[in-house]
Amino acid sequence: MVPRGIVSGTFYLQTFGCQMNVHDSDRMEEVLAAHGWSRAQTAAEADVIVLNTCSVREKAEQKLRSEVGRLVPLKRNKPDLVIVVAGCVAQQEGEALLARVEDLDLVIGPDNLAELPALLLAQRQGAPPIARTVFDIDAPRFLSARPERGKAPVSAFVTTMKGCDERCSFCVVPYTRGPERYRPATDIIDECARWVEAGAREVMLLGQTVDSFKDATLPAPESDDPDESQFPALLRLIAREVPRLARLRYTSPHPRHATASLAAAHAELDVLARHIHMPSQSGSDRMLRRMIRRYTRAEYVARVRRLADARPGMTLSTDIIVGFPGETDEDFEATLSLVREVGFTSLFGFKYSPRPHTPSRKLVDDVTEEVKSARLAELFALMEMQGSAHLVSLVGSTQRVLVEGASKTQPTTGASVRVQGRTERAEIVHLDVPPDVSPAGEIVEASIVRANKHSLQGALTPLALAALPRRIASPSRHVALPVLA
Ligand code: SAH
Ligand code: F3S
């Protein structure tokens, strides 16, 4: 039994890994704040340090180990300091982590975040170190965001499901995040509406296989294709119920559910971005089989083509693993040829690393580190070429840019301010605007004047400039521009 009550102090939260972890960290902050905890500026000042961990690849786990090592001296000086490990390494290792890392106090899995304040109180009251890593399978819980008006980012994340039933042979996620559970559509709509009310313009729907969504209250899929889900119905519902939402994206879909209905939703809904991130992992059928991806290369290509054809100017990006057990030069060539054939405009590439609990652990990790590195470099070189060619092709076009905030590098003259935003396809565009206009959160028309290595430089069209709110004329719209990483 965990004691109830309020205990105050300061916390410092460090997040590793994917967007899902960033999202979980935001919810953890809200839960802690609701129980009287406030954020510390540095780890050294904090009463509680939370490391929200990732175990998808080996490096992330190594990072955690060295991070805990760095915190140990802090604990020597401040014996009351509570060190918490949350996230996927916590879920994966559980009690074993407490045994292995002496200075840890709490290990808490992704489904137990709401219990954090009570567990911290117990620690304050002298409880022994504890691991809470229980999946909420029977009554799945989704922590709702509580955005404050005027403080919302331009683009907000909304969780639609958690866990994964796919069990790709290399992936630890089904073991660290558990089986698939879906958030009720009404809760998703409410949260999207709350974000928009608070000032967000774009929502990114988050899920491990975001396109496998199910909710009995939504219309059933019209076809009897077993891969159809209710995700397209969810997209339609959001578009209808949150009409002020300017843009809607999602990540990451699984190609299996990239069905005819999903393509139809893209054809129909203007709010959907003209860009889809669709992990492919490999272009070799032999590797795809070993990876248990449940599609062939030809099926993948047909499915993404159907999506890309649904709307003019749609772009695609992907995830790729190089050096999976048994990957030959020929298999890797097939991956390069897939990248060319589909014409991805960007990708995330990873070197295979064997993960605990996963079926592929039984296969010999036989591609040497040198070969993995060389293949990754070759993949990235190809991607750079394709990505640059795509950006160059946009020079001279006019794009609708959703401005997110100030760019990292500013013009030296001071006569203008550089802001950055994204096109309908998510390419980053920098714009130099007069210092008295306030474009954050606005969708502006820009002519693309130059392609940089990974971004575009644009200029506001005269009409767009004239239409922008002036800072002084309408001070209520004046929001300090967040500086973007
Ligand atoms: N569906 C999830 C995928 C999670 S893992 C999502 O929403 O993003 C993200 C990516 O990491 C995968 O697509 C895969 O390309 C890579 N990855 C996963 N396990 C890996 C491993 N053992 N070694 C190398 N890369 C891996
Ligand atoms: Fe991992 Fe495959 Fe699911 S990559 S998250 S097991 S779709």
Side-chain angles (χ1 to χ4, degrees):
M1 184 58 199
V2 195
R4 300 173 69 84
I6 295 270
V7 57
S8 62
T10 59
F11 66 90
Y12 184 82
L13 221 159
Q14 199 175 350
T15 309
F16 304 88
C18 68
Q19 284 152 333
M20 195 71 87
N21 261 14
V22 173
H23 179 271
D24 284 354
S25 287
D26 289 347
R27 300 293 80 74
M28 249 189 289
E29 284 203 14
E30 285 173 353
V31 166
L32 287 171
H35 284 76
W37 292 84
S38 54
R39 206 189 306 178
Q41 292 305 314
T42 63
E45 291 166 25
D47 302 313
V48 173
I49 297 174
V50 185
L51 303 172
N52 194 9
T53 60
C54 168
S55 62
V56 163
R57 286 168 295 276
E58 209 156 30
K59 257 209 198 124
E61 211 176 304
Q62 280 164 3
K63 251 193 208 160
L64 163 76
R65 289 183 200 288
S66 71
E67 208 47 47
V68 174
R70 282 194 339 157
L71 297 178
V72 170
L74 289 180
K75 190 139 182 169
R76 298 279 174 270
N77 296 333
K78 199 192 226 179
D80 286 345
L81 174 68
V82 179
I83 302 182
V84 185
V85 171
C88 288
V89 178
Q91 186 67 41
Q92 179 187 302
E93 303 292 327
E95 295 246 336
L97 203 58
L98 286 181
R100 275 211 308 272
V101 189
E102 198 187 321
D103 292 277
L104 280 186
D105 302 289
L106 280 178
V107 172
I108 187 165
D111 283 1
N112 304 96
L113 301 183
E115 298 164 44
L116 186 55
L119 292 167
L120 288 175
L121 177 64
Q123 286 299 310
R124 281 280 171 92
Q125 292 172 340
I130 182 171
R132 280 287 292 164
T133 53
V134 185
F135 289 133
D136 56 15
I137 296 187
D138 295 330
R141 200 165 35 180
F142 290 88
L143 294 175
S144 288
R146 300 174 203 152
E148 277 180 57
R149 194 183 275 263
K151 287 200 184 158
V154 170
S155 181
F157 292 125
V158 173
T159 309
T160 56
M161 51 95 64
K162 56 182 174 179
C164 181
D165 291 345
E166 286 294 328
R167 291 171 190 264
C168 304
S169 65
F170 52 82
C171 184
V172 77
V173 169
Y175 311 94
T176 60
R177 295 275 170 168
E180 287 180 17
R181 282 142 296 160
Y182 312 99
R183 193 175 183 187
T186 47
D187 289 5
I188 297 169
I189 299 290
D190 286 351
E191 191 165 295
C192 292
R194 277 203 303 277
W195 277 116
V196 170
E197 195 59 26
R201 303 297 314 278
E202 174 180 278
V203 160
M204 171 75 99
L205 301 176
L206 279 187
Q208 301 293 352
T209 53
V210 71
D211 54 349
S212 68
F213 188 76
K214 291 184 188 68
D215 181 327
T217 66
L218 293 183
E222 271 163 26
S223 100
D224 48 12
D225 173 353
D227 290 334
E228 285 286 3
S229 75
Q230 282 162 309
F231 186 61
L234 176 69
L235 296 174
R236 287 195 181 89
L237 190 70
I238 296 173
R240 197 180 70 216
E241 299 294 320
V242 197
R244 283 167 54 215
L245 185 66
R247 284 187 185 167
L248 182 58
R249 301 179 186 281
Y250 55 84
T251 197
S252 286
H254 188 285
R256 223 154 59 77
H257 304 289
T259 56
S261 313
L262 186 59
H266 275 276
E268 191 184 307
L269 303 175
D270 282 339
V271 73
L272 282 175
R274 289 175 199 243
H275 172 81
I276 297 172
H277 181 76
M278 187 66 74
S280 55
Q281 314 299 358
S282 172
S284 150
D285 280 337
R286 206 171 67 86
M287 288 298 108
L288 289 171
R289 258 194 322 274
R290 293 191 131 204
M291 289 174 166
I292 321 192
R293 286 294 288 181
R294 303 207 254 171
Y295 52 79
T296 61
R297 172 192 174 125
E299 281 163 349
Y300 177 89
V301 172
R303 285 180 170 234
V304 292
R305 282 252 160 85
R306 181 165 56 191
L307 286 178
D309 289 346
R311 254 190 121 74
M314 185 96 98
T315 53
L316 296 160
S317 58
T318 198
D319 285 353
I320 280 173
I321 296 177
V322 300
F324 190 77
E327 188 185 67
T328 60
D329 286 342
E330 247 182 355
D331 293 316
F332 176 62
E333 276 305 321
T335 294
L336 294 177
S337 88
L338 178 75
V339 172
R340 284 189 216 100
E341 181 181 356
V342 176
F344 295 115
T345 51
S346 64
L347 61 78
F348 295 111
F350 309 102
K351 290 190 240 179
Y352 170 71
S353 81
R355 311 310 301 132
H357 312 298
T358 58
S360 69
R361 233 197 139 85
K362 299 212 177 78
L363 303 171
V364 183
D365 182 14
D366 56 358
V367 181
T368 63
E369 188 58 28
E370 290 67 38
V371 172
K372 283 179 187 168
S373 298
R375 286 181 184 165
L376 196 62
E378 199 175 339
L379 178 67
F380 286 156
L382 170 62
M383 197 60 255
E384 288 279 317
M385 252 171 52
Q386 260 177 230
S388 296
H390 168 66
L391 292 178
V392 167
S393 77
L394 295 173
V395 174
S397 68
T398 303
Q399 300 294 331
R400 285 163 54 76
V401 178
L402 172 57
V403 180
E404 294 179 349
S407 304
K408 221 175 180 178
T409 47
Q410 288 296 319
T412 44
T413 64
S416 56
V417 177
R418 187 162 300 157
V419 294
Q420 79 177 56
R422 288 179 186 269
T423 67
E424 285 175 283
R425 287 175 310 273
E427 293 104 7
I428 294 174
V429 182
H430 298 281
L431 297 166
D432 292 353
V433 300
D436 69 329
V437 299
S438 184
E442 303 287 333
I443 292 184
V444 297
E445 280 217 332
S447 337
I448 303 305
V449 294
R450 195 177 67 240
N452 305 319
K453 202 164 174 210
H454 297 122
S455 66
L456 298 163
Q457 181 69 39
L460 286 179
T461 61
L463 260 180
L465 183 58
L468 273 182
R470 260 40 210 185
R471 283 177 202 275
I472 299 157
S474 52
S476 63
R477 303 213 48 155
H478 178 184
V479 191
L481 292 181
V483 176
L484 302 167

